Amino acid sequence: MDMKFDAQAEGFRAEVRSFVESNLPDDIRAKVSEEEMILPRDMMQRWHHELFKQGWGCPSWPVEHGGAGWSDEEHYLFEREIALADAPRPIPYGVVMLAPCLMEYGSKAQQEKFLPGILTGDQLWCQGFSEPNAGSDLASLKCRAERDGDHYVINGSKTWTSDAHVADWMFGLFRTDSSGRKQQGITFLMIDMKSEGVTISPLENFEGTHEVNQVFFDNVRVSVDNRVGAENEGWGVAKYLLGLERFGTAEVGRSLASLGRLKTLAKTVKVGSGTLLNDSDFMNEVARAEIALRALEVTEQRFLFGPGGSESMGAEASMLKVRGTEIQQDILELAHQALGYHAHAMIDVASPENDHNPAAIAKAHYNFRKTSIYAGSNEIQKTIIAKAVLGL
Amino acid sequence: MDMKFDAQAEGFRAEVRSFVESNLPDDIRAKVSEEEMILPRDMMQRWHHELFKQGWGCPSWPVEHGGAGWSDEEHYLFEREIALADAPRPIPYGVVMLAPCLMEYGSKAQQEKFLPGILTGDQLWCQGFSEPNAGSDLASLKCRAERDGDHYVINGSKTWTSDAHVADWMFGLFRTDSSGRKQQGITFLMIDMKSEGVTISPLENFEGTHEVNQVFFDNVRVSVDNRVGAENEGWGVAKYLLGLERFGTAEVGRSLASLGRLKTLAKTVKVGSGTLLNDSDFMNEVARAEIALRALEVTEQRFLFGPGGSESMGAEASMLKVRGTEIQQDILELAHQALGYHAHAMIDVASPENDHNPAAIAKAHYNFRKTSIYAGSNEIQKTIIAKAVLGL
Amino acid sequence: MNFTFSEEQNLFRDSIRRYLEETYPFENRAKTLEHPNGYPEELWQSLAELGWLALPFAEEYDGLGGSAVDSMIVMEEIGRVLLVSPFLSTVLLSGQLIAAAGSESQKRDLIPQIGAGQLKLALAFAEANSGYDLAHVSTSAVKEGNGYRLNGAKCAVFNAQSADIIIVVARTSGAVDDQEGLSLFRLDPTMDGLEIKNYRTHDGGTASDIVFEDLFIPDKALLGDVGTAYPHLQKVIDQASVALCAEASGAMWAISEQSGVYFKTREQFGQNLGSFQALQHRLVEVYMKCQLSQSLVYDAVCALDDFDVLEQSADGDTTNIAQKVSQKVSAAKYQVGLDARSVGQEGIQFHGGMGMMTELPIGHYYKRITMINATFGDPRYHLKRYRDTMCQSIISAT
Amino acid sequence: MNFTFSEEQNLFRDSIRRYLEETYPFENRAKTLEHPNGYPEELWQSLAELGWLALPFAEEYDGLGGSAVDSMIVMEEIGRVLLVSPFLSTVLLSGQLIAAAGSESQKRDLIPQIGAGQLKLALAFAEANSGYDLAHVSTSAVKEGNGYRLNGAKCAVFNAQSADIIIVVARTSGAVDDQEGLSLFRLDPTMDGLEIKNYRTHDGGTASDIVFEDLFIPDKALLGDVGTAYPHLQKVIDQASVALCAEASGAMWAISEQSGVYFKTREQFGQNLGSFQALQHRLVEVYMKCQLSQSLVYDAVCALDDFDVLEQSADGDTTNIAQKVSQKVSAAKYQVGLDARSVGQEGIQFHGGMGMMTELPIGHYYKRITMINATFGDPRYHLKRYRDTMCQSIISAT
């Protein structure tokens, strides 16, 4: 048992750190440091382009497709450094999700058509899974794709679709057969967002941001060439896709960055003649959060670098998502509480000597309530653990 | 809305207080102040006799049977003062449970036979409900009572039977018919504990006390005269019985007494040059417990003295049991934590200037883990609230 | 002991609820918030007509002589519908402060106008570094000729933007944390030299940060006696804290009820959400928190009313009673704040993706609850305040 | 980075587990505890033969040179089966303290005997008023002729009753809370004038309260150098704290697994308990706590081992590193303590009435967990210790 990274890995870490320091644009860093998860298209692409030039655009891909050929440790350290430096998360839907699916299930033609644009970041994707009546119970989705010659005709809608308003393409699950079990009869299709009949309706979060959308399909025609896997067998593709994320579901790097900001805040916020650092009750909670985060961090490392390595990680990974989001929410909530009366303001009312923005802190606190809901709610994750790990 | 008791009620309170002060034997007070719930037969009877002489032995009974004819406020204040003064709880099985059932369902002969002994406290009872495979799921009980002329012949066992080792009689539920729904075919019988074929096997709690028993029945013959209600209709009697307890499930009075001891402990336990009172983290938890207890106290009062009075209290009462036991456990656990290294000792190691007994505090902490399990586990209570109050 | 509302109180609550249901449905919220102050002017006149604005004041100032219980009823209903208005600022903060600290002529002048809806007020007490400590006032008012020279800054002055008068807490003597030496001044928000930065708050209201730089104000701006503001301020903030607890309690019940409805109608995996036992037990926790928080609101409200009676009879020392009342206020503000936060978070989680959407009330309840916690002290602050008093009484107990 | 145990370590764990399963089944517990010291003497000889007693010591003292990871393995297995023995007292407390603070000749004399199972020791450090502060020592040792005069009292001296030697922490100089001025003395428990009160502990072990009244002890009883004990004591208690965390972690996993088995076999309402979703989610919480606590144990154990390496290389200042190690120890002792408590309580609750019975292990795990929390600092104490260090580093960070 050895919890230290070796010299080679530490060298790699230093390389990543210095790359990010030199190449991450200030405006993007500032946005991410305010806990913005969903960036404007322009920012996503500018940053991805920097990474692409370095050969790090899609590092997890096989080398023949443009991947970096890193070890698990290198992947881990890359994501960690990216997160600590307030660089954007990897582009999720194209790079992390669709591309590996295409490599596994896609035709040669599909791979040639789509992978290059994803690699360069010129082509952005969104994911069409959830529907108004199919959230946690994804398999009960109803948005229809009816076969019409060598096309599917899509009618219905998808909802809570992140990035639909910035994406060029959507991949998604559609109902092609309703006769059997609900997991059957689902087909995985790719849709050009500029197709006729696609309408994107923005959904506003209660704190005022627009991150997700409802996407309506009115007789949208999609060529069968854009189907991944066989007809009615999309559920298998989706399961493969949802099992891909080994790194990062715990978001430890982000939370470390947020915790760092929280500590700075405690040092900065003046209360009476001192600062919040003198408030032992508040600092107890910061300490509690830091310890919880460290426990999560080591747990993730144990899963990744234990016997069997990351390949052996199964449903245990669900706990990384559950605790990871709980801790994120906890830290951001504490930051909001630290503001005292400044917590009310929807504009930046901080005094000039402080470098925090109360309005952004409040917004992050509210907005991050979503993290325990999205990507498989924490309740769903617990049920997965109960069944797959505990055998209940 | 008025949260004060009127002058008459306060006068009554003073009367009870002074009565208990003059008449509660020191040895009994000491036992109860160490959080002993189940007292030796002798203590139960000595204290009950004091109350009986005062006309307060079975105050909740109708006056014609020897009750005190008190108002809800007077009942409430009586139980509060009894608890605050570390007097024993009312004798549960005979006085509080069986007697009202006999008044509702029993024959004149049964009432004449049993009520006088219960009233004087000469006759002690225990309750035979739970079985090894019928705990939370009480209706699945299997202990058989087969009809043989004008007798029932009982075979099987009852478990977690408090007081079986001190009781003269047991009332309980027995299976007389297995053909229908499990709630049907249950009969309510009263059994002389000295009957042939009754064996009492003590069960030891993990902290070493003997409070409960398993009671075995080997062809025990019970006259049909000792049946309450009709054959196969015991479930209705039991439901009536279990719905009787309006006062006291929250155990607010006891917890107030325990909290008072906890505060004294905080003032007494020396840590460094001060006492635990200087430990703001510890005192935060005491404050938290005190506030939670006050919330529970007022909630109970609202249920008892709100519109409709105590008669209108329904399944809401389940929350009094849930929170009441949580708070009890919390307070006793804090007391144990307050002891530091003295927490280890199974004997009284306190220095003579302290009047607390570490061994008793530890024992109470451990033993009170049962309170969230017995009398309908807190999980069962929550399910009751979910269905009966929230309509889920 | 009884927890029954009087018939009058029941009628009053019914009238409030009916009025708010009719005129303030959640569907109109987004539109209503577009008003620059977060509410339409006609609302204020309606509240005056309904008697809210005169509610807590003595009859001699054209008030209705309402009790803390009456104010609680209003605030609970406000909490249910997320009403944005300067009711708290004008009536329960500024109005009550004038009633407590003002001279007889000031009361006669101002309170009837408040009750009639002719005057809106804001109270400037918090400062950037004050935390939740009311005595921490560094804004100074130095006597100069026939007036005072004001220097300093106030933050989070709720509803200053729509106020006709701003009451400022300033230090006329003593060190920055002293309870002694605080005075109250009434300011005209339109006066020259007042630097006001207005902003919207997360719960749909408005607040302002205000800077005073060598601002001269005349003697007649002084409210009540010089240097004696603290105990009045403390008492009024305690009362207003309980009012906020009642508002939070109203919001909690609404969340609990709406979650129950959602559980009964929303299907996942072919079942109502409400049939999943893990969710059932969590909604039961929410329900229990609503009940327990409600109880502490009642406890504090009754303590306020009893204290008022005691104070009016005025025999004996009331300091000890005042401290006990403050302790009950802190108990409520702590527990209600904590429970409301947790109920709000559970409410969002229960609603899944829908819980994040602006078109459902659930997230707005959570924002309001969060803002209530950041007003007059958050749960941590009040637990500490409670604890300190508790430890004092343990020490002084024999 | 890797979390794989070496093959040797895996074999070691297997041998421990097999031995304990065979010789220490829970069914025999009540009987075993009837031994006056809570364990049979032959157990100690077996542990010596299995190599436990020489495990952490350097090879030059006939030790096996085991790491903190190796000790963790033993303690996890001890935790699973609730083994009562003086292993911690003798090996990890007293033995390690001799190894850290003793003179060369004392080490050569004592450590091989410990490893061979010929010597059992107990460490007397806590006092009635010390709380969990190691520096709070009022027991005094005053120089007198060719020895010291001891006055004071120690409490909760674990396993003193079966010890051949008791090591006493006493103050040879300084004020009652000073870290400077603490010394170690070895005492023969049978010596005249030692007032020992033995008692059983709730987890089946033994402890003693000891009073020294003008007790004269010769110079040669001094262990190591006079007045320098604190840093050694601090370090050894940190190591032993992590060992207790490992023991608690072993107990937590056992509770989690046994609860899982109970859930799959116990029926209520015609279903396995494990099919009730509310219980499922709660067992998942228990499982997650086991994992997370385990991680902090690993974190602290690796920090101890790394520190040992750093200290042996001994270039540069180790104070800063020592503080970081202590912080990790507190993180583990806090979180494991809190989680173990909650897992223990849930375990009892999951088992219903059976959970209260002495014939099931579940309540005994809870008692041991509670005692672990009351040893070397409870979660509250360690959170405070962690917090204070954290605040220091926030202040010193630029």
Side-chain angles (χ1 to χ4, degrees), chain C residues 268-333:
Chain C
Q268 292 280 280
F269 304 102
Q271 291 173 273
N272 286 341
L273 279 188
S275 67
F276 291 97
Q277 199 197 31
L279 294 180
Q280 282 182 359
H281 283 199
R282 281 165 64 181
L283 189 58
V284 168
E285 272 294 329
V286 161
Y287 164 80
M288 295 197 302
K289 284 176 176 165
C290 291
Q291 288 282 17
L292 294 161
S293 282
Q294 172 104 72
S295 295
L296 289 178
V297 176
Y298 284 7
D299 198 27
V301 163
C302 286
L304 289 177
D305 278 339
D306 291 349
F307 183 50
D308 264 10
V309 172
L310 280 168
E311 209 178 33
Q312 277 159 31
S313 72
D315 50 340
D317 181 23
T318 55
T319 329
N320 195 25
I321 302 168
Q323 202 173 42
K324 280 204 174 123
V325 173
S326 285
Q327 209 184 349
K328 279 180 191 292
V329 172
S330 278
K333 195 81 172 58

Side-chain angles (χ1 to χ4, degrees), chain C residues 208-220:
Chain C
S208 308
D209 289 359
I210 307 180
V211 179
F212 316 100
E213 221 183 304
D214 281 334
L215 187 73
F216 184 79
I217 44 172
D219 280 336
K220 69 175 186 336

Side-chain angles (χ1 to χ4, degrees), chain B residues 2 73 267 288 290 294 299, chain C residues 1-2 295 299 334 386 397:
Chain B
D2 183 2
E73 284 197 352
K267 191 180 182 172
R288 234 175 246 141
E290 179 165 279
R294 178 63 184 157
T299 302
Chain C
M1 174 171 288
N2 92 79
S295 295
D299 198 27
Y334 160 70
Y386 184 97

Side-chain angles (χ1 to χ4, degrees), chain D residues 118-183:
Chain D
Q118 293 153 355
L119 214 53
K120 292 199 285 287
L121 292 90
L123 178 62
F125 61 97
E127 300 184 356
N129 300 347
S130 65
Y132 298 113
D133 179 5
L134 293 172
H136 184 94
V137 174
S138 56
T139 297
S140 64
V142 178
K143 189 79 187 106
E144 186 181 317
N146 56 350
Y148 291 86
R149 187 68 68 182
L150 232 65
N151 274 291
K154 294 286 172 182
C155 72
V157 187
F158 299 115
N159 300 294
Q161 172 177 315
S162 60
D164 305 299
I165 295 172
I166 296 173
I167 300 178
V168 177
V169 183
R171 180 164 296 287
T172 41
S173 65
V176 71
D177 283 319
D178 285 356
Q179 294 184 0
E180 308 281 311
L182 296 185
S183 305

Side-chain angles (χ1 to χ4, degrees), chain A residues 216-261:
Chain A
F216 295 92
F217 303 93
D218 180 19
N219 285 318
V220 175
R221 294 182 71 81
V222 176
S223 161
V224 292
D225 294 343
N226 289 338
R227 187 186 70 212
V228 182
E231 189 170 291
N232 293 334
E233 291 180 9
W235 189 248
V237 183
K239 272 176 66 179
Y240 177 81
L241 183 151
L242 293 172
L244 283 170
E245 251 201 342
R246 282 227 181 65
F247 296 91
T249 53
E251 293 248 46
V252 171
R254 304 280 152 202
S255 287
L256 283 169
S258 306
L259 183 70
R261 281 189 278 277

